[in-house]
Amino acid sequence: MPENAATEPVTADFWFDPLCPWAWMTSRWMLEVEKVRPVRTRWHVMSLAVLNEPKLDELPAEYREALKDAWGPVRVCVAAEQEHGSEVLGPLYTALGVRFHHRELPKSRETLVDALTSVGLPAELADAAESDRYDDALRASHKEGIDLVGQDVGTPVIAVPGADGEQIAFFGPVVTPAPKGEAAARLWDGTLLVASTPGFYEIKRTRDVGPRFDDADEADGTEG
């Protein structure tokens, strides 16, 4: 494994949209990594709605329709961060992800309120879903992640230290189900390894399965 993976605390910056099931898989891996490596995850919001604005007319009608639900949850996440600090993002993301991906609840105000209150946040933050009050902050957070990795990617974006301590960002890793234990640790060590390799950009293959959610994740960091 990379030497620094075992000896030095590492900060990973993670950009997510709570609607994306693949970002959810990767985020559950990161929580597992925190158990087996000295790692701290800093959570940030990016937006599939913002990402797809320039090419909205080119998207399939079904995907355009799905993006109508994409504004509310990210606006609520950013509102929570702005009003209560960045430390609330991780628990709120977990609460939303459990409801969206495991319980398959609608992206409704009722679901948003349930997620907010389950992690001790005010229900009134759900009002942000229908407001553009926090859109400047949302776009700034999105831009921060995209500027690190480039325009031709989606969510998740993860940024880790590279060879000289500089921040290297990637789309992914895209994985299902979320690795556990030593498997999670090995994938993390590999992520640090490729980040420390000058000129490394991409490894990819075609996905032939969909996201596989672990029901055990439903109990992680949320109630209700």
Side-chain angles (χ1 to χ4, degrees):
M1 72 177 64
E3 182 179 351
N4 66 351
T7 60
E8 299 178 10
V10 173
T11 296
D13 288 286
F14 191 106
W15 281 263
F16 67 90
D17 184 314
L19 260 62
C20 178
W22 293 104
W24 176 250
M25 293 282 96
T26 309
S27 72
R28 299 310 93 182
W29 163 67
M30 281 306 310
L31 292 184
E32 188 72 12
V33 169
E34 290 183 337
K35 300 175 185 178
V36 293
R37 290 289 186 267
V39 175
R40 178 175 71 100
T41 307
R42 289 189 302 207
W43 303 98
H44 311 271
V45 180
M46 66 180 296
S47 168
L48 290 172
V50 172
L51 182 70
N52 286 285
E53 275 182 326
K55 53 186 177 183
L56 197 59
D57 293 340
E58 304 169 13
L59 298 174
E62 182 179 356
Y63 193 70
R64 289 201 306 271
E65 189 66 24
L67 285 176
K68 292 180 180 178
D69 288 331
W71 285 103
V74 289
R75 283 170 163 170
V76 170
C77 285
V78 170
E81 180 184 29
Q82 293 290 303
E83 300 296 333
H84 297 275
S86 59
E87 66 275 4
V88 306
L89 272 182
L92 179 56
Y93 179 26
T94 291
L96 289 169
V98 164
R99 285 157 179 79
F100 293 162
H101 304 302
H102 292 264
R103 303 180 191 173
E104 299 182 341
L105 296 177
K107 285 72 176 178
S108 63
R109 178 182 174 84
E110 181 181 11
T111 302
L112 294 172
V113 167
D114 185 41
L116 287 163
T117 56
S118 76
V119 294
L121 289 169
E124 291 76 16
L125 286 171
D127 294 343
E130 302 298 329
S131 168
D132 62 2
R133 177 181 175 186
Y134 298 95
D135 282 8
D136 286 348
L138 168 60
R139 291 179 185 277
S141 180
H142 176 88
K143 184 177 186 298
E144 182 184 11
I146 287 295
D147 281 353
L148 287 172
V149 75
Q151 294 293 326
D152 56 342
V153 301
T155 177
V157 168
I158 184 172
V160 300
D164 300 318
E166 63 177 326
Q167 202 172 37
I168 302 295
F170 299 109
F171 164 63
V174 176
V175 61
T176 188
K180 303 290 186 182
E182 187 56 28
R186 288 196 302 269
L187 180 56
W188 170 254
D189 295 342
T191 301
L192 293 184
L193 177 62
V194 296
S196 66
T197 303
F200 177 85
Y201 290 99
E202 183 175 13
I203 293 176
K204 188 172 183 177
R205 64 174 177 155
T206 300
R207 302 175 209 169
D208 56 6
V209 297
R212 292 164 52 194
F213 304 119
D214 183 349
D215 288 341
D217 287 334
E218 185 167 336
D220 287 350
T222 188
E223 302 174 359

